[in-house]
Amino acid sequence: MDELCYRDGEEYEWKETARWLKFEEDVEDGGDRWSKPYVATLSLHSLFELRSCILNGTVMLDMRASTLDEIADMVLDNMIASGQLDDSIRDNVREALLKRHHHQNEKRLTSRIPLVRSFADIGKKHSDPHLLERNGILASPQSAPGNLDNSKSGETKGNGSGGSRENSTVDFSKESASWHCSCGTLGVGLKRPAVDMNFMRKIPTGAEASNVLVGEVDFLERPIIAFVRLAPAVLLSGLTEVPVPTRFLFLLLGPAGKAPQYHEIGRSIATLMTDEIFHDVAYKAKDRNDLLSGIDEFLDQVTVLPPGEWDPSIRIEPPKSVPSQEKRKIPVFPNGSAPMSAEPPKEAAHHAGPELQRTGRLFGGLILDIKRKAPFFLSDFKDALSLQCLASILFLYCACMSPVITFGGLLGEATEGRISAIESLFGASLTGIAYSLFAGQPLTILGSTGPVLVFEKILFKFCRDYHLSYLSLRTSIGLWTSFLCIVLVATDASSLVCYITRFTEEAFAALICIIFIYEALEKLFHLGEIYAFNMHNNLDELTSYTCVCAEPSDPSNETIELWKRKNVTAESIVWGNLTVSECKTFHGMFVGSACGPHGPYVPDVLFWCVVLFFTTFFLSSFLKQFKTKRYFPTKVRSTISDFAVFLTIVIMVAIDYLVGIPSPKLHVPEKFEPTDPSRGWIISPLGDNPWWTLLIAAIPALLCTILIFMDQQITAVIINRKEHKLKKGAGYHLDLLMVGVMLGVCSIMGLPWFVAATVLSISHVNSLKVESECSAPGEQPKFLGIREQRVTGLMIFILMGLSVFMTSALKFIPMPVLYGVFLYMGVSSLKGIQFFDRIKLFGMPAKHQPDLIYLRYVPLWKVHVFTVVQLTCLILLWVIKASAAAVVFPMMVLALVFVRKLMDLCFTKRELSWLDDLMPESKKKKEDDKKKKEKEEAERMLQDDGDTVHLPFERGSLLQIPVKTLKYSVWY
């Protein structure tokens, strides 16, 4: 906003005082800087005065002019012709309008450079508008509720003379990829226009300006007002601080003594032009009455705060999310009724998309998945050209390594070395690479699951008891399971996933997250057993504490065999001279008051592990939220946030190395060869087993198939939810096919089985969230979607396969650091789960409860009932998964679908639509067709020729506004 004022006490000039991109920014008098963006608060009186100005002033729409001189002449001619302006003062008014414009950034750029600068400003450069025309600044598009033509993508407020130039708005297209903005000054004596590059990055390419000029002069007896819309928009050099073509001009000059009043009117028109609805009214208005109708509609929506109830000098912080204005576009009939319910729109039937519709043809769903995903195959690699993807690779690689190796170790213990860590690494890498290349949803990360480990234990014990070959029988079961998965793909069985609603998803996801958190803490406590702390020591007797290696009192057969292989005997070993590692190698025993169960006490290790564990968790959380902090430029904050977990791991590894305390480190196999020397990489499905085992294997394969199907598809549903705004579609059938095929390959090669890992997949998606890089000052970055590509998953599993060649680097990673990463993933994955929000309501008084949307439409006691049922199911799942019956865990997850179906008897469909997804009905297609027809009829009421909507106003007129030209506005 520019106001007419004296320069050096001699002559008038337009001085910039405020601007609006989305929120208001003022030039602070004492600070000589732009204020923090805030929500503009207007007086009701100034709005009525503005309406009076439009009603009685000059309104010129679609004026064709190329310079400010021409605009001034045409406006003054119109005013004189209509009797609003006396011809005798025409020259005075014209001279005032064409006064020099002084922008806020001019003083900063042309004055002496200060000796002390903020670190956030270092590196910022400024340029002239000619350079800006050659060099665009890219920024992510803002989500606007419509599309704009390039000529109408923005508004910026310009400076006027003889008054205060108050507003400039910038409109931008929804498809705009960048904002382009610069500013200069008009007049003699300025050698080069000054450009605020920082602000320029906020404005999209193709933006247009709305300039408001308001102020007071001493030669007018009554105010003169003009509202001008140019066609086409024109770049008026020096009018705005950034080179943006001007579309609108608002002029208000009046007699001296009423500057505050003019100032408030200017703020009012600036705020109106940043309003989504009035902005479109201004673009499509045909006459003065349309503008008045737009003001009336705005006044209908205004909320008035009574004086004395709040302090007008307090600036309101911009909201984290701006509410949608779609309700204001709904037409109102003369009787005051609306064609639609005021209730927010909900999904008509259920959450299932076209990917889950049954085709009725053999492999019909798979064929559609391939057709849906094939066009995006190349883009899945091109879209990975981002620093964010590198951060995701480094984070997930570290996060996936430990569970895969740990799972391999546990599997090695359960199978006596038949399948161990090296097979786990190789299997994860092989399966993950194939899945990332050809699956329908490559954002899913494959991993090992607890029920699979329980199944392997039961199978190995069965084979040992009945003297069967474990690896051969396991191969038979794996091949049957692979075949059954392919049968499920052929019959479109994945369409049954539509019955898995949010109720089941959240219970399953919450359980997996809690397991991650529990296991991370359990592993930390387990370190307390290995590195026990020797309590109640008498430091005065420290010299008497000893710990020496001694011959085992009762050596086992395994120990004796070890001595024989090393050609030593118990008598030939000098036990007292052995180091700790040598004593463990020869299976010696530790004797002495300073000994723990695994060797000498090292009291610092346990406490250091605790420090590493919790520091990793808190530092990861802090750095991940660094994007919202107030320090450093946006790009730096964004990069730190993307690399949060990897930076944390690097920092903690460095600290651990410098401190030097022998904390437990990640152990990776050093040679690529089977753990069991007696086995190879190809396993026969029959081997030494009887022929009938090939047939009997189909029975446990049924249970294994259910396990794979439920784990895979529930995770896929969570990843593919609409909240993630995925644009490339899902591929449930293709995903299951790849898992089934690779399960068969891993079975033949004697490798572990891998399926979708819920927490790892959620963490992968969260690490690839895309937010608007450039937004209006004060506006929160908007979630735009997920960076959908195949490269991150592919590189994660390639690196995992190469890990056996990177042991020299990986051996420095402390295990407590990885446990801290698990805790971070488990806690961060809980965010956004409605189930936990509802649990917190139990201990929260009604007056302190957040304004959750379902609390508006569902009684609180019913919300509690729904939560109790879900919590009970979660506890039962936990008990089953932690018991010996964990192998039937998938069946219990499937049972949640039936529990949810029974809840239809206790809750209405309307209540369930707010608390959960509605399950598909038997007459779904008929109902969908009916709702689709109703929706089309409603859309026809909202549209005219498919391009306009009708907005009701108090004056009784209906103004047609194109839906595709919705814009934001910025006023200077």
Side-chain angles (χ1 to χ4, degrees):
M1 177 172 71
D2 292 1
E3 297 186 3
L4 196 63
C5 62
Y6 282 106
R7 180 169 65 90
D8 300 329
E10 296 179 357
E11 60 178 296
Y12 282 115
E13 72 171 2
W14 290 104
K15 182 179 180 182
E16 190 173 34
T17 58
R19 68 185 180 193
W20 282 254
L21 183 59
K22 189 173 181 65
F23 302 102
E24 182 173 354
E25 296 175 85
D26 296 335
V27 175
E28 296 178 333
D29 295 336
D32 191 26
R33 63 173 187 175
W34 286 111
S35 70
K36 184 179 179 181
Y38 64 95
V39 177
T41 52
L42 309 173
S43 68
L44 190 60
H45 182 68
S46 65
L47 287 172
F48 283 118
E49 286 185 322
L50 173 63
R51 189 183 189 283
S52 178
C53 289
I54 298 297
L55 178 63
N56 301 310
T58 298
V59 175
M60 303 181 69
L61 303 178
D62 297 330
M63 175 191 291
R64 294 189 175 274
S66 57
T67 65
L68 189 58
D69 298 63
E70 293 181 13
I71 295 173
D73 289 335
M74 296 174 69
V75 169
L76 294 177
D77 289 343
N78 187 288
M79 288 182 174
I80 293 173
S82 61
Q84 296 186 34
L85 180 66
D86 191 276
D87 187 46
S88 62
I89 57 174
R90 173 196 172 97
D91 292 340
N92 292 337
V93 175
R94 189 179 188 278
E95 181 182 0
L97 289 176
L98 301 180
K99 286 291 184 180
R100 177 185 183 276
H101 290 266
H102 176 82
H103 302 290
Q104 161 62 16
N105 64 314
E106 275 181 49
K107 183 175 182 180
R108 181 176 69 251
L109 295 174
T110 58
S111 61
R112 180 180 301 175
I113 299 176
L115 295 179
V116 180
R117 299 176 60 193
S118 167
F119 285 112
D121 293 330
I122 294 176
K124 289 183 179 178
K125 298 181 180 179
H126 302 275
S127 178
D128 59 56
H130 302 290
L131 290 177
L132 299 177
E133 293 174 2
R134 298 194 295 269
N135 302 312
I137 303 298
L138 291 180
S140 58
Q142 305 299 309
S143 58
N147 303 328
L148 299 179
D149 301 331
N150 288 337
S151 62
K152 298 178 181 178
S153 66
E155 287 186 34
T156 306
K157 184 176 173 181
N159 292 352
S161 62
S164 88
R165 164 176 157 245
E166 193 152 324
N167 307 4
S168 180
T169 64
V170 174
D171 304 323
F172 55 90
S173 168
K174 185 177 182 181
E175 291 83 6
S176 292
S178 65
W179 293 13
H180 180 203
C181 177
S182 71
C183 66
T185 55
L186 179 68
V188 180
L190 185 63
K191 295 181 179 180
R192 189 186 72 164
V195 178
D196 187 348
M197 291 290 293
N198 187 41
F199 181 65
M200 179 180 154
R201 295 187 182 95
K202 306 290 185 180
I203 302 178
T205 299
E208 294 178 349
S210 296
N211 304 289
V212 173
L213 313 175
V214 299
E216 58 180 4
V217 292
D218 54 8
F219 50 78
L220 285 176
E221 297 181 356
R222 59 190 178 91
I224 58 172
I225 302 102
F227 182 91
V228 178
R229 184 178 69 204
L230 300 177
V234 178
L235 180 60
L236 302 175
S237 179
L239 193 58
T240 58
E241 65 175 315
V242 286
V244 176
T246 295
R247 172 68 67 171
F248 295 95
L249 278 159
F250 179 84
L251 169 66
L252 171 57
L253 289 180
K258 296 184 178 181
Q261 181 180 351
Y262 304 151
H263 177 87
E264 290 302 318
I265 294 175
R267 291 183 64 248
S268 297
I269 186 63
T271 306
L272 270 170
M273 289 302 293
T274 59
D275 177 68
E276 181 180 306
I277 305 301
F278 182 83
H279 180 270
D280 294 320
V281 172
Y283 260 98
K284 302 303 293 183
K286 297 179 180 178
D287 53 32
R288 185 194 312 269
N289 289 333
D290 289 339
L291 293 174
L292 294 173
S293 298
I295 296 176
D296 291 339
E297 192 277 339
F298 183 85
L299 287 169
D300 285 342
Q301 305 297 326
V302 165
T303 300
V304 178
L305 295 175
E309 300 294 330
W310 74 296
D311 185 357
S313 65
I314 296 176
R315 293 172 176 173
I316 301 176
E317 291 282 339
K320 291 185 177 181
S321 60
V322 180
S324 172
Q325 302 298 310
E326 292 298 320
K327 291 182 181 179
R328 294 171 60 187
K329 302 173 189 174
I330 300 176
V332 179
F333 295 141
N335 61 2
S337 63
M340 294 183 180
S341 171
E343 193 174 285
K346 294 291 287 183
E347 297 177 25
H350 58 93
H351 64 296
E355 301 92 345
L356 295 178
Q357 302 301 318
R358 184 178 294 276
T359 63
R361 303 189 305 273
L362 199 64
F363 290 103
L366 176 64
I367 294 172
L368 291 179
D369 281 351
I370 296 174
K371 290 181 178 179
R372 186 182 304 111
K373 300 298 293 187
F376 299 108
F377 190 76
L378 290 179
S379 67
D380 283 342
F381 294 90
K382 295 178 182 178
D383 294 345
L385 298 177
S386 169
L387 200 62
Q388 185 183 27
C389 291
L390 176 62
S392 178
I393 291 170
L394 297 175
F395 161 39
L396 266 301
Y397 166 68
C398 297
C400 293
M401 275 292 295
S402 182
V404 167
I405 293 175
T406 303
F407 176 78
L410 295 174
L411 198 56
E413 294 177 3
T415 62
E416 297 182 357
R418 268 69 167 184
I419 302 176
S420 194
I422 188 65
E423 288 83 8
S424 184
L425 269 178
F426 184 35
S429 177
L430 188 66
T431 305
I433 290 173
Y435 187 88
S436 299
L437 283 174
F438 304 111
Q441 184 48 272
L443 294 176
T444 303
I445 297 293
L446 301 186
S448 51
T449 61
V452 169
L453 181 61
V454 174
F455 181 85
E456 298 275 14
K457 289 181 179 179
I458 295 174
L459 180 62
F460 182 79
K461 184 176 183 300
F462 175 82
C463 293
R464 187 178 56 188
D465 293 343
Y466 291 93
H467 307 288
L468 298 174
S469 172
Y470 162 70
L471 288 178
S472 295
L473 182 59
R474 180 182 181 278
T475 302
S476 301
I477 295 174
L479 291 176
W480 271 109
T481 304
S482 177
F483 171 74
L484 293 175
C485 287
I486 295 174
V487 170
L488 293 177
V489 173
T491 57
D492 288 353
S494 294
S495 61
L496 298 175
V497 173
C498 63
Y499 288 93
I500 300 176
T501 65
R502 183 183 290 272
F503 175 87
T504 305
E505 293 171 31
E506 290 192 341
F508 181 80
L511 175 65
I512 303 301
C513 292
I514 292 174
I515 289 174
F516 252 69
I517 297 171
Y518 173 80
E519 290 186 349
L521 294 171
E522 184 186 41
K523 292 179 187 297
L524 180 65
F525 284 114
H526 180 63
L527 293 178
E529 300 174 1
I530 300 176
Y531 303 97
F533 180 64
N534 193 11
M535 302 174 65
H536 308 297
N537 286 308
N538 186 348
L539 297 182
D540 189 52
E541 299 178 0
L542 188 61
T543 54
S544 65
Y545 289 139
T546 60
C547 181
V548 296
C549 184
E551 178 185 350
S553 57
D554 186 17
S556 63
N557 293 334
E558 181 183 356
T559 301
I560 296 174
E561 289 293 330
L562 174 68
W563 292 345
K564 289 181 179 180
R565 288 199 302 268
K566 293 183 177 291
N567 296 321
V568 296
T569 62
E571 292 77 14
S572 65
I573 300 175
V574 184
W575 294 99
N577 294 336
L578 295 182
T579 63
V580 174
S581 58
E582 290 172 342
C583 186
K584 291 180 179 178
T585 301
F586 289 105
H587 295 186
M589 59 184 295
F590 295 96
V591 179
S593 56
C595 290
H598 302 279
Y601 284 112
V602 186
D604 292 336
V605 172
L606 176 60
F607 291 103
W608 182 238
C609 290
V610 172
V611 170
L612 290 176
F613 177 82
F614 287 105
T615 304
T616 300
F617 170 71
F618 289 114
L619 186 58
S620 297
S621 303
F622 173 77
L623 293 181
K624 192 64 180 178
Q625 298 298 323
F626 201 76
K627 185 182 294 184
T628 61
K629 305 301 180 184
R630 300 181 180 182
Y631 303 100
F632 303 108
T634 303
K635 190 65 178 177
V636 175
R637 297 199 309 268
S638 179
T639 303
I640 292 175
S641 177
D642 291 339
F643 284 85
V645 178
F646 178 72
L647 287 175
T648 300
I649 294 175
V650 171
I651 292 171
M652 300 311 299
V653 168
I655 294 176
D656 178 75
Y657 177 78
L658 294 174
V659 172
I661 295 177
S663 58
K665 304 296 193 295
L666 177 66
H667 176 71
V668 181
E670 298 182 359
K671 293 183 180 180
F672 181 70
E673 59 183 18
T675 305
D676 186 355
S678 63
R679 57 156 288 186
W681 288 117
I682 302 297
I683 308 297
S684 169
L686 186 59
D688 298 332
N689 294 332
W691 65 268
W692 49 265
T693 57
L694 293 176
L695 302 178
I696 296 298
I699 298 175
L702 287 173
L703 182 61
C704 192
T705 302
I706 297 175
L707 185 154
I708 298 296
F709 181 84
M710 294 301 294
D711 270 357
Q712 174 66 36
Q713 300 298 45
I714 291 182
T715 302
V717 169
I718 294 172
I719 298 303
N720 292 318
R721 285 200 68 87
K722 292 183 178 180
E723 297 94 285
H724 292 151
K725 298 183 179 179
L726 302 181
K727 299 178 177 61
K728 296 184 179 180
Y732 294 94
H733 310 278
L734 185 55
D735 291 345
L736 186 59
L737 175 68
M738 289 306 305
V739 169
V741 170
M742 293 311 300
L743 191 144
V745 173
C746 289
S747 299
I748 293 176
M749 298 185 68
L751 305 176
W753 300 328
F754 292 92
V755 71
T758 306
V759 172
L760 291 174
S761 299
I762 294 175
S763 299
H764 188 213
V765 169
N766 290 337
S767 69
L768 294 171
K769 285 185 175 180
V770 179
E771 294 180 333
S772 55
E773 296 179 3
C774 185
S775 55
E779 185 179 16
Q780 295 291 328
K782 296 180 180 178
F783 173 64
L784 303 178
I786 306 297
R787 200 178 297 277
E788 300 176 65
Q789 38 70 48
R790 298 179 181 271
V791 176
T792 52
L794 181 64
M795 291 304 300
I796 288 167
F797 290 104
I798 288 178
L799 290 175
M800 192 174 295
L802 298 176
S803 295
V804 292
F805 306 107
M806 298 187 295
T807 54
S808 58
L810 296 175
K811 67 181 181 181
F812 290 104
I813 302 179
M815 289 304 296
V817 171
L818 295 180
Y819 299 156
V821 173
F822 295 162
L823 179 64
Y824 165 76
M825 289 193 299
V827 172
S828 62
S829 298
L830 289 177
K831 295 180 180 178
I833 296 183
Q834 184 195 94
F835 171 56
F836 286 95
D837 293 334
R838 286 188 272 106
I839 287 179
K840 290 186 290 186
L841 295 177
F842 282 106
M844 196 179 298
K847 64 179 180 179
H848 296 303
Q849 291 175 357
D851 185 22
L852 301 171
I853 188 65
Y854 49 82
L855 291 180
R856 300 182 183 183
Y857 302 98
V858 183
L860 182 60
W861 70 271
K862 280 203 168 185
V863 174
H864 288 334
V865 170
F866 189 88
T867 306
V868 168
V869 173
Q870 198 171 13
L871 182 60
T872 304
C873 293
L874 177 62
I875 294 174
L876 290 175
L877 288 176
W878 174 271
V879 172
I880 292 172
K881 191 172 180 67
S883 67
V887 70
V888 300
F889 171 76
M891 299 296 295
M892 303 314 298
V893 175
L894 185 62
L896 292 182
V897 177
F898 298 97
V899 174
R900 165 61 181 84
K901 188 64 178 176
L902 292 176
M903 296 181 73
D904 287 343
L905 304 176
C906 307
F907 295 84
T908 65
K909 286 187 177 181
R910 181 176 180 274
E911 292 169 343
L912 288 174
S913 69
W914 289 107
L915 295 172
D916 190 31
D917 299 312
L918 291 179
M919 300 184 74
E921 302 292 341
S922 58
K923 299 180 180 179
K924 173 185 165 300
K925 188 176 184 302
K926 182 177 179 181
E927 294 178 356
D928 282 353
D929 292 341
K930 180 180 179 181
K931 292 182 179 296
K932 185 177 179 181
K933 184 177 179 180
E934 293 176 353
K935 182 179 180 181
E936 290 176 351
E937 292 177 355
E939 288 177 350
R940 280 197 295 270
M941 296 177 64
L942 290 173
Q943 296 183 358
D944 182 18
D945 297 331
D947 191 46
T948 59
V949 297
H950 298 277
L951 289 182
F953 300 107
E954 288 183 356
R955 296 176 61 87
S957 63
L958 291 176
L959 180 62
Q960 295 183 347
I961 299 174
V963 176
K964 295 182 180 179
T965 57
L966 295 177
K967 313 165 186 69
Y968 285 119
S969 300
V970 179
W971 284 83
Y972 289 94

